[in-house]
Each structure stands twice: as structure tokens, then as C-alpha cells.
Amino acid sequence: MDADSIVGIAINGIPLAALMSEELERELIIYRPSQERHGKGGAFSSNYASPQGKKVLIVDDVVSTGDTIKATISDVHDAGGTVVLAVVLVNKTAQDEIAGVPLRALIRARSI
């Protein structure tokens, strides 16, 4: 894998990201999205690794609109990191990429 670190999106992406970082022997980065998406970014927990200068894999539980992952990608870039892949358990969209980053899911659930 071509990632230095695993970014877990709070709250539900963190347990999966922690498991993946342990299994893949990569640093864990915790990201807390902003509750207000009006020009304010989220925050990276200072108790864990920083994305600065690293290639990262983003992990979350579900993609519904893609807004949370888009914000995470933007904030990783603003912090000096590069996102190489986003992984979720369930993708509820038809998207295979978000903001130019490949998106992979265990399950794709779409209404017919």
C-alpha cells in the first residue's frame, strides 16, 4: 500500500481506521469534521499523527453525499498531506471517486 498514514473520520470511521492502522502498521490520524460547513474546516487531533508531508488513506463508515470526505480531502491538502485513497464500509452513491480521489467500499447500496 502506498499510504504512510490512515485518517479516521470521527466518530464512526475511527474504530475501523484504528484497526486498519494497526494491521497495516501505519500511523493513525484522527479527523473531526466541522459541524458547520460554512468556510470552517475540521480539525486533526493533536494526540495522534499529523497529515503534513504524508500520503494518507481516508476511512469512514458511510458515504451518503460525499461532503464529509470532500471536506476531509480538502483539510488534508491544506495541512500539507496527499490523499491516495478513500475507503468506506457502505457507499450510498454512484461515485467511484470524490474530488479526484478513488473511492472504494465494501458495500454499494443504492435505491432502484
Side-chain angles (χ1 to χ4, degrees):
M1 179 173 70
D2 194 28
D4 304 310
S5 303
I6 310 293
V7 176
I9 299 177
I11 288 180
N12 295 329
I14 293 173
L16 182 58
L19 180 71
M20 290 175 69
S21 74
E22 183 71 26
E23 185 67 28
L24 298 172
E25 298 180 350
R26 301 292 192 263
E27 293 180 314
L28 178 61
I29 300 169
I30 300 297
Y31 176 78
R32 293 182 183 3
S34 171
Q35 296 304 314
E36 308 166 1
R37 299 259 190 255
H38 307 290
K40 295 172 82 177
F44 296 99
S45 174
S46 61
N47 293 333
Y48 294 87
S50 164
Q52 184 176 9
K54 297 178 183 138
K55 292 187 263 181
V56 304
L57 179 148
I58 294 174
V59 178
D60 204 1
D61 61 339
V62 176
V63 170
S64 293
T65 64
D67 290 345
T68 301
I69 291 185
K70 278 184 206 168
T72 307
I73 291 168
S74 177
D75 287 345
V76 167
H77 288 166
D78 289 349
T82 304
V83 180
V84 296
L85 181 64
V87 176
V88 296
L89 291 176
V90 179
N91 181 354
K92 294 167 63 176
T93 74
Q95 299 178 72
D96 291 323
E97 69 173 44
I98 296 179
V101 174
L103 173 65
R104 301 295 176 260
L106 185 62
I107 299 168
R108 176 165 280 162
R110 295 187 311 197
S111 59
I112 301 174

